Amino acid sequence: MAKSKTKKPAKSKAASNSASNPSIDEMKELYREMLLIRRFEEKAGQLYGMGLIGGFCHLYIGQEAVVTGINSVQQKQDTVVTSYRDHAHMLACGMDPKGIMAELTGRVTGYSRGKGGSMHMFSKEENFFGGHGIVGASSSIGTGLGFAHKYKKDNGVAIAYGGDGASNQGQVAECYNMAALWDLPILYVIENNQYGMGTSVSRSSAGSLYKRGEGYGIPGEQVDGMDVFTVQAAARQALDYVRSGNGPYILEVMTYRYRGHSMSDPAKYRSKDEVNTFKNDRDPIAMIKGMMVDGGMAEDDIKVIDKEIKEIVAEAATFAQESPEPDAHELWTDVLVEVDA
Amino acid sequence: MPTNILMPALSPTMTEGNLAKWLKSEGDTVEAGDVIAEIETDKATMEVEAVDEGVLGKILISEGTQAVAVNTPIAVLLEDGETANDIGEVDAAPAADIPCVPEVQDSDSVTQTSNDAEQHAGATIENRDILYAQGVIIEPPPFDEASFTDTEEVTVRVALRDAMAEEMRRDGDVYLMGEEVAEYNGAYKVSEGLLDEFGAKRVIDTPITEHGFAGLAVGSAMNGLKPIVEFMTWNFGMQAIDHIINSAGKTLYMAGGQLGCPIVFRGPNGAASRVGAQHSQCYASWYAHVPGLHVLAPWSAADAKGLMKAAIRDPNPVVFLENEMLYGEKFDVPTDEDFVIPIGRAKIERSGADVTIVAYSIMVGKALEAAKALEAEGIDAEVINLRTIRPLDRFTILESVKKTNRIVSVEESWPFSGIGAEIAALIGEHAFDYLDAPLARVCAKDVPLPYAANLEALALPQTEHIVNAAKKVCYAD
Ligand SMILES: Cc1ncc(C[n+]2csc(CCOP(=O)(O)OP(=O)(O)O)c2C)c(N)n1
Ligand SMILES: [Mg+2]
């Protein structure tokens, strides 16, 4: 997109579909990424059940196409921030599954040396800025990442993920205003998985989430988040728009989480049928796998990828169980940056 | 009658200014709103407008006068028919300063005592903290807890729910609002069944908008309702801390007593289990810092029930700090619906002669465990369950220390500016001469709560830390 001073009118558009013809290699890459997320999360659920992971643990199963699609069209200098449902975002950013899993088990080899846990991991190297436990926080922090991109003129875009529930926090509206006012390079991704804990969107949110920027002049778009190519196409366009200096953009991605909110949620607020509709008919991984087969890829070639992913995850789990807990002195480190007097 | 025009204060910090220029002369007619003079403050030149209409009878402070004190008469305004002859002697002195602190009686504390009951009790006093500021330590409000003999064993969770249900039955203005409180029955199931009984008008699911709904609830309380606001945990109450302190805590004062804010903010406080730094902190000392708030922290199910009922009936804003780890614990709870524990009264859970252990919330249980362990070593500990953090039952603490001469304070929060620090100040100010050893504090380690299981255990106060601290103050370590 050409660098233009005139902004697009803040028209929001609902569910666009992309007509793209991905190559087998592209499909393989996306399949691989989504499968890694799914298998990793299944393993995390298993380790939680064994008491090896404590506290809260929020799984991303069902939502894989969202972060995978967006990440596939990001640039290296772009930055990412999200909430506590963060394992997938870290994997997509290229963080090491071993380090993530070891953080989940609270070991010194984890990304936060065992001190952060499932909800709090960071990687400066991969431009991943957390992992935040407070609903709504990622929007503001993301806006600040965008502020820094603009300040440093590094051509980067900040991508702030947040949930449907998070959209109702006051700070989100406050940031929309500032981001639009100052033309900040920030893409707000609303991962609308239809529930914030046990509350459905219709019980928590007035209007349409992707239209919430309209009053500020921020364009918004709602797309199907179960189709990785749709997400990818929308993200490509949105990132272009933002990177060209047009200011913020809101992408509402319609998705679904198969598991409960966290490990302790029995998810009785929705029907089995509803869950099964997504699992059986809309699953993003099954869909791309179907496309690969239709495109002429042999089942055996797909199995090679499956096996490879299985091994990566098994290795991460072993690593996470065999690594030691942090040494007791770690309790006292990292509270403040130590400055020589 | 001629009216004086006074030197106005044109900023909150202005105490004096220069009278730069008169824009009206003696004999001029003045309308309300006319600019009559210019005044220079340290920050700007400002215009002075007439508030009344009339004739400028006499200029008392001439143009160019420096450092004119605020409230000094600068001119006299005459009404219709009055002349300069009507102007009498003008008192040019500004109004006297009003002292900003209450008179303190004398530097020694006054302890009001009666002596027969095991735990002293005085009258119900409106504001114990103000009395303390004046040097008076007053007995806690009376409470005949032993008379509640019929009990049933329930969990803390059920006790909280029952207290809310009973008060909601009793008073139609009480309602409950928060995230997942209705259809989900509470994220921690504390409001189980309340939607069924009271309906969606009185048990309300909110969006995840703590700052907004806390403010909304405060507004509804100002307008006659009695909200109970649940924060899914107090960590999220931080989003709403402004409304808790600025809107709820200060209204009565700012309104000169006209309207207050009967509201309960409640939810689990402190560490749960391995939920990491952002989800694990104790807010007791944060809110206890604020005049205008009551801060309650139950330990047992009886505490939970009796204090929750007190909180809902209290015409003041109450910060009610529960603990997730205690929700499932069972205790005997009086069945009488009038079991309401007075705010401002601690409970001596175990009496002892050798050392006082003061604790609140989950740490009361640990303190009692420690007392048992100490008994085996021949140390007889007295354990005080604070129940109310603010107003603190200073009387009960001091009486205990005067008896045992040694004290350990225990809390789950950080040491700096913690409740233990406040207790240390209390002891230093009022029981210094009774001490046989310096006070010891048992607190969380001064770090954000780590996730790793081993580090988390090291960070939080454990029973053995209390035992060790008690032995230390008894010189038995
Ligand atoms: C300020 C704040 N309030 C409440 C919570 C508790 N909480 C954690 S996740 C969650 C639901 C969030 O839903 P949504 O934003 O849709 O994200 P999802 O979990 O669906 O990914 C709530 C209420 C919190 N972490 N922070
Ligand atoms: Mg959601």
Side-chain angles (χ1 to χ4, degrees):
Chain A
M1 187 190 273
K3 207 176 176 120
S4 69
K5 280 270 151 57
T6 35
K7 288 190 189 180
K8 260 195 201 168
K11 263 285 187 189
S12 306
K13 46 183 176 175
S16 64
N17 241 44
S18 64
S20 58
N21 286 317
S23 69
I24 285 278
D25 277 350
E26 274 176 284
M27 286 196 274
K28 262 167 77 173
E29 200 37 56
L30 295 171
Y31 173 74
R32 208 184 158 279
E33 192 62 54
M34 289 198 286
L35 194 69
L36 173 64
I37 294 169
R38 175 140 327 163
R39 296 285 172 263
F40 183 96
E41 294 291 64
E42 286 166 353
K43 182 60 80 180
Q46 197 187 349
L47 297 185
Y48 193 96
M50 293 161 67
L52 289 161
I53 295 173
F56 294 132
C57 185
H58 311 85
L59 302 183
Y60 198 69
I61 297 176
Q63 301 183 209
E64 294 90 347
V66 182
V67 78
T68 304
I70 294 167
N71 179 74
S72 69
V73 290
Q74 248 166 256
Q75 294 183 6
K76 188 70 198 151
Q77 73 276 18
D78 294 346
T79 48
V80 171
V81 62
T82 187
S83 68
Y84 42 83
R85 198 179 301 288
D86 57 355
H87 311 159
H89 304 74
M90 296 187 280
L91 291 168
C93 280
M95 289 167 65
D96 181 359
K98 293 209 289 281
I100 304 171
M101 198 67 94
E103 188 61 37
L104 295 184
T105 53
R107 307 303 166 95
V108 71
T109 50
Y111 267 97
S112 301
R113 310 182 63 72
K115 291 152 85 165
S118 162
M119 299 186 284
H120 310 301
M121 279 179 250
F122 306 81
S123 169
K124 225 175 154 177
E125 213 183 319
E126 302 296 345
N127 281 337
F128 180 74
F129 290 85
H132 298 271
I134 301 303
V135 169
S138 59
S139 294
S140 307
I141 294 166
T143 307
L145 296 173
F147 183 91
H149 283 306
K150 181 163 183 181
Y151 194 99
K152 296 189 290 187
K153 298 196 177 94
D154 64 5
N155 199 32
V157 173
I159 303 168
Y161 291 86
D164 44 281
S167 304
N168 296 317
Q169 279 290 24
Q171 59 179 313
V172 176
E174 293 174 26
C175 285
Y176 284 175
N177 181 47
M178 287 186 285
L181 191 64
W182 298 329
D183 282 335
L184 300 182
I186 163 106
L187 173 62
Y188 297 104
V189 180
I190 301 170
E191 297 200 54
N192 185 343
N193 60 11
Q194 337 237 343
Y195 294 89
M197 278 195 174
T199 306
S200 64
V201 174
S202 64
R203 292 206 302 118
S204 71
S205 309
S208 301
L209 300 180
Y210 70 99
K211 291 184 183 165
R212 294 239 174 126
E214 277 181 5
Y216 307 102
I218 307 176
E221 184 181 355
Q222 188 185 61
V223 298
D224 177 6
M226 303 308 280
D227 174 354
V228 69
F229 295 108
T230 304
V231 177
Q232 189 182 52
R236 185 180 287 125
Q237 222 184 21
L239 285 169
D240 273 352
Y241 173 88
V242 175
R243 208 180 304 281
S244 308
N246 292 306
Y249 196 94
I250 298 169
L251 201 58
E252 180 185 2
V253 190
M254 306 306 289
T255 182
Y256 202 79
R257 67 167 153 72
Y258 297 176
R259 300 288 184 94
H261 167 74
S262 66
M263 295 303 295
S264 54
D265 171 26
K268 287 193 184 135
Y269 41 81
R270 55 185 196 185
S271 68
K272 277 234 159 61
D273 278 354
E274 181 184 305
V275 181
N276 285 336
T277 306
F278 280 93
K279 270 191 183 170
N280 300 336
D281 308 340
R282 310 281 317 280
D283 187 70
I285 298 178
M287 176 190 148
I288 196 170
K289 192 170 170 184
M291 285 172 72
M292 282 154 61
V293 173
D294 291 347
M297 195 168 163
E299 290 273 2
D300 278 351
D301 291 340
I302 299 176
K303 284 205 180 109
V304 172
I305 304 178
D306 296 357
K307 186 161 173 275
E308 180 205 342
I309 296 295
K310 209 172 162 188
E311 276 163 14
I312 292 172
V313 170
E315 199 188 339
T318 308
F319 179 79
Q321 291 171 76
E322 287 176 354
S323 293
E325 287 190 313
D327 189 83
H329 86 272
E330 293 271 359
L331 181 63
W332 298 103
T333 58
D334 307 323
V335 178
L336 289 167
V337 175
E338 301 291 336
V339 184
D340 291 332
Chain B
M1 223 190 66
T3 16
N4 287 340
I5 299 175
L6 305 179
M7 180 74 170
L10 299 168
S11 79
T13 51
M14 175 178 166
T15 54
E16 58 176 37
N18 306 332
L19 211 162
K21 194 169 176 190
W22 278 106
L23 299 172
K24 298 278 181 190
S25 336
E26 291 182 359
D28 284 359
T29 303
V30 177
E31 298 286 332
D34 281 356
V35 178
I36 54 171
E38 280 178 9
I39 282 173
E40 287 168 3
T41 68
D42 52 349
K43 296 191 188 81
T45 300
M46 317 274 289
E47 293 177 340
V48 182
E49 291 178 3
V51 183
D52 295 310
E53 57 188 20
V55 172
L56 196 61
K58 192 174 169 62
I59 287 177
L60 302 172
I61 304 285
S62 55
E63 220 172 78
T65 308
Q66 308 273 311
V68 182
V70 164
N71 282 339
T72 307
I74 56 175
V76 182
L77 199 65
L78 303 174
E79 285 176 32
D80 259 4
E82 291 172 344
T83 69
N85 296 336
D86 295 320
I87 302 169
E89 267 301 290
V90 176
D91 178 11
D97 271 355
I98 296 161
C100 62
V101 271
E103 297 285 313
V104 171
Q105 294 190 342
D106 68 41
S107 57
D108 283 341
S109 64
V110 184
T111 332
Q112 298 184 357
T113 325
S114 67
N115 30 31
D116 25 56
E118 214 196 293
Q119 190 180 348
H120 299 280
T124 303
I125 305 282
E126 204 184 307
N127 197 330
R128 287 160 190 279
D129 287 322
I130 291 290
L131 285 171
Y132 181 65
Q134 297 176 348
V136 181
I137 294 158
I138 195 108
E139 292 172 21
F143 187 45
D144 188 8
E145 196 159 347
S147 69
F148 293 90
T149 45
D150 290 344
T151 61
E152 59 177 340
E153 201 187 51
V154 295
T155 61
V156 170
R157 174 181 282 115
V158 167
L160 290 167
R161 195 267 317 274
D162 288 352
M164 289 192 284
E166 286 172 18
E167 294 305 303
M168 287 176 79
R169 279 174 215 134
R170 195 174 160 266
D171 184 343
D173 290 336
V174 178
Y175 72 92
L176 173 67
M177 172 176 269
E179 292 157 22
E180 310 288 354
V181 296
E183 294 196 8
Y184 201 83
N185 285 304
Y188 298 99
K189 296 285 177 275
V190 173
S191 52
E192 184 119 55
L194 295 184
L195 174 65
D196 283 349
E197 180 173 352
F198 299 103
K201 182 186 170 195
R202 296 180 69 193
V203 183
I204 303 156
D205 278 328
T206 65
I208 311 169
T209 51
E210 290 84 2
H211 191 205
F213 69 71
L216 182 157
V218 168
S220 77
M222 289 175 175
N223 202 6
L225 302 185
K226 292 170 189 158
I228 305 170
V229 174
E230 172 174 313
F231 295 119
M232 193 176 283
T233 76
W234 271 100
N235 304 287
F236 317 139
M238 249 201 302
Q239 302 287 313
I241 193 168
D242 174 64
H243 278 307
I244 300 169
I245 293 175
N246 268 329
S247 308
K250 298 176 184 172
T251 295
L252 183 71
Y253 197 80
M254 295 188 300
Q258 286 179 74
L259 83 161
C261 189
I263 190 168
V264 180
F265 298 103
R266 53 156 289 267
N269 173 63
S273 173
R274 301 200 55 206
V275 292
Q278 290 185 335
H279 279 73
S280 317
Q281 56 186 326
C282 171
Y283 289 91
S285 79
W286 293 51
Y287 291 108
H289 190 61
V290 182
L293 295 178
H294 281 163
V295 182
L296 312 186
W299 162 61
S300 69
D303 292 355
K305 176 125 190 246
L307 288 172
M308 177 58 77
K309 290 173 75 92
I312 296 170
R313 294 184 192 188
D314 190 1
N316 293 296
V318 177
V319 166
F320 198 91
L321 306 170
E322 299 158 15
N323 186 293
E324 187 194 331
M325 308 298 283
L326 294 173
Y327 280 154
E329 280 196 30
K330 283 189 169 168
F331 297 85
D332 287 334
V333 178
T335 48
D336 190 326
E337 294 216 352
D338 286 324
F339 178 71
V340 180
I341 298 172
I343 292 172
R345 186 181 166 95
K347 183 182 181 196
I348 299 170
E349 295 285 353
R350 180 190 201 278
S351 67
D354 299 335
V355 55
T356 300
I357 304 176
V358 183
Y360 60 92
S361 187
I362 192 167
M363 287 299 148
V364 174
K366 301 224 157 137
L368 288 168
E369 271 173 35
K372 219 180 233 164
L374 288 163
E375 189 178 82
E377 305 196 35
I379 295 173
D380 184 19
E382 175 146 309
V383 176
I384 297 178
N385 170 6
L386 286 178
R387 284 182 165 175
T388 299
I389 307 289
R390 183 181 181 119
L392 191 65
D393 183 355
R394 298 179 172 95
F395 191 95
T396 298
I397 300 170
L398 288 174
E399 289 301 299
S400 176
V401 172
K402 287 175 184 173
K403 177 176 74 175
T404 64
N405 312 113
R406 300 163 200 277
I407 178 166
V408 174
S409 87
V410 187
E411 65 191 314
E412 200 194 80
S413 59
W414 295 306
F416 195 95
S417 296
I419 302 304
E422 183 62 34
I423 291 171
L426 172 76
I427 301 298
E429 286 169 344
H430 302 288
F432 185 77
D433 291 336
Y434 291 90
L435 287 184
D436 285 345
L439 166 143
R441 284 187 289 165
V442 178
C443 306
K445 299 296 185 298
D446 198 16
V447 299
L449 197 72
Y451 167 74
N454 65 328
L455 297 187
E456 187 184 69
L458 289 172
L460 294 173
Q462 310 294 347
T463 303
E464 65 168 299
H465 300 141
I466 306 171
V467 170
N468 292 343
K471 282 161 76 175
K472 189 170 160 215
V473 301
C474 292
Y475 299 114
D477 57 341

